Amino acid sequence: LMGVAFVIPAGLIYKYRHNKSGAFIGGTIGALAGAVASFPVNMLITYPFYIGVYFGGNVDPLLDTYNKIFGTDLGLTEVLLYFNLPFTFVKYMLCLVIALLIYKPLYPIFKKFKNT
């Protein structure tokens, strides 16, 4: 779901601004959308599953780990806002940089498949 939130705005913007700046702007907006989507996805799907499987439904060991990193007493909402959301944004920006670096060398291969 977070990947979809990243790819759709990036692809739509790049479709209408088919150049490097369009790719960068689209990717940046996509990274922001993916990061924002990470909050509800992690809060409602990922973390409840993870906590249930690995911690038997007890969130405290997970929060203790995060709180050791931050040196504070954060709840799950704060952990997702202060740690996961920025991490997701940085992750998608890194994906964007890699895509911008490898697109040009791979373009001939993409073009070959486009014409088939």
Side-chain angles (χ1 to χ4, degrees), residues 54-65:
Y54 292 104
F55 297 105
N58 183 8
V59 71
D60 292 335
L62 180 66
L63 292 179
D64 289 344
T65 303

Side-chain angles (χ1 to χ4, degrees), residues 41-64:
V41 169
N42 282 321
M43 180 66 100
L44 301 173
I45 300 169
T46 308
Y47 273 66
F49 175 78
Y50 182 75
I51 292 164
V53 169
Y54 292 104
F55 297 105
N58 183 8
V59 71
D60 292 335
L62 180 66
L63 292 179
D64 289 344

